[in-house]
């Protein structure tokens, strides 16, 4: 691929001068503009459409909406604002919008209806508005959820999992498996020997059973007997019944540290005579320790992947879809 740097070296000009000339800027002479454009054509230079759209937006030249500066986010949650009503997914959505804005891109949200009843109307609207880059939001947190029906006519997609929902599309997910192993490693280094895992049962499928798999591997490597200290799956993340089940599980298994996605375990712990140490997935305030799942990197990577897919102009059902897992990082409590 011929770049502006190649043209600059060919003509003995700066890269900035070539960039200005190709944009028709009056900051360079007419003779230079003509010479640069002729050389670029002769060398077979093709501008990057996504980069051009971003430059135009930042310089005030790209106020007209194009397929490069407007994306869509589709979801089939029970209500139109369902994604925003979830504490976690509202944070997730905010990160996605922020990453897009940094690239000069807006993301418009479309509800296909809880049962897909708005599906055809949504895709007609997207075609009419020349929006081809589409994100598919994670499915709602309800039983027996169905994947969205996808129209693969001249659209490009990036999804956020679970991976098996859209096996032919690119997927960005948090690295559930390695995040648990990281939490286990830190707790083990700190001397905890009876580490447990607690999560809501709807999260098993959403994580591809990765937490459970990593947990059993770590137990095996630590010498824990098979069939003991089994992970605790809860029907509810806030009920008294779940609190009672958690406290009973901690005491019967003599758990000294817990890795969990359930925030209330910290409150439930306070009622125990010997509370377990807690490491939370997706820590969100200074008093917590555990895994920062890295929402900003997830969002930035998703934007980048969709732009790449658009540049390749592939249809929805790609032959070799990407599976990108975003690593988390350990965060200590702030003293």
């Amino acid at each position: 691929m011929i770049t502006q740097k190649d043209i600059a070296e060919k003509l003995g000009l700066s890269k900035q001068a070539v960039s200005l000339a190709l944009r028709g800027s009056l900051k360079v002479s007419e003779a230079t503009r003509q010479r640069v454009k002729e050389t670029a054509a002769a060398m077979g230079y093709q501008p990057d459409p996504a980069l051009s759209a971003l430059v135009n937006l930042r310089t005030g030249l790209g106020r007209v909406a194009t397929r490069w500066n407007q994306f869509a986010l589709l979801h089939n949650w029970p209500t139109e604002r369902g994604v925003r009503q979830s504490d976690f997914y509202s944070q997730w959505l905010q990160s996605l919008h922020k990453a897009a804005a940094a690239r000069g891109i807006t993301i418009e949200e479309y509800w296909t209806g809880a049962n897909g009843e708005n599906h055809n109307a949504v895709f007609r609207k997207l075609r009419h508005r020349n929006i081809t880059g589409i994100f598919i939001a994670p499915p709602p947190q309800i039983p027996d959820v169905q994947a969205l029906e996808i129209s693969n006519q001249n659209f490009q997609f990036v999804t956020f999992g679970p991976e098996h929902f859209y096996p032919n599309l690119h997927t960005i997910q948090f690295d559930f498996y390695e995040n648990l192993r990281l939490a286990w490693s830190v707790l083990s280094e700190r001397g905890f020997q009876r580490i447990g895992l607690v999560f809501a049962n709807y999260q098993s499928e959403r994580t591809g059973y990765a937490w459970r798999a990593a947990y059993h591997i770590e137990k095996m490597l630590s010498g824990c007997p098979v069939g003991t200290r089994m992970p605790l799956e809860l029907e509810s993340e806030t009920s008294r019944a779940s609190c009672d089940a958690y406290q009973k599980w901690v005491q019967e298994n003599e758990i000294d540290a817990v890795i969990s996605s359930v925030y209330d375990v910290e409150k439930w712990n306070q009622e125990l005579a010997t509370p377990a140490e807690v490491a939370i997935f997706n820590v969100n305030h200074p008093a917590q320790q555990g895994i920062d799942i890295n929402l900003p990197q997830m969002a930035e990577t998703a934007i980048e992947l969709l732009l790449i897919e658009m540049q390749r102009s592939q249809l929805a059902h790609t032959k070799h879809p990407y599976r990108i897992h975003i690593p988390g990082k350990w965060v200590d409590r702030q003293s």
Side-chain angles (χ1 to χ4, degrees), residues 128-161:
H128 177 73
R129 300 195 58 189
N130 193 32
I131 297 177
T132 68
I134 298 175
F135 291 119
I136 300 178
Q141 297 167 306
I142 58 176
D144 303 320
V145 65
Q146 300 297 314
L148 286 176
E149 184 179 349
I150 300 301
S151 173
N152 62 353
Q153 297 299 313
N154 300 317
F155 293 107
Q156 296 81 43
F157 295 91
V158 169
T159 78
F160 296 92

Side-chain angles (χ1 to χ4, degrees), residues 22-95:
L22 290 172
R23 300 206 307 270
S25 173
L26 298 179
K27 293 181 180 181
V28 295
S29 68
E30 172 62 29
T32 298
R33 292 201 300 272
Q34 189 63 30
R35 188 157 61 102
V36 168
K37 290 179 180 178
E38 290 175 354
T39 303
M43 295 176 69
Y45 170 74
Q46 294 290 332
D48 181 330
L51 183 58
S52 297
L54 179 58
V55 170
N56 286 340
L57 280 168
R58 288 180 173 173
T59 57
L61 300 175
R63 301 189 185 280
V64 176
T66 73
R67 64 190 291 261
W68 296 101
N69 59 33
Q70 54 179 352
F71 293 167
L73 173 72
L74 274 55
H75 77 88
N76 63 341
W77 282 54
T79 64
E80 189 167 0
R81 291 187 55 80
V83 177
R84 292 184 171 274
Q85 291 169 343
S86 161
D87 289 342
F88 171 74
Y89 284 109
S90 63
Q91 296 176 41
W92 171 87
L93 194 56
Q94 183 179 9
S95 296

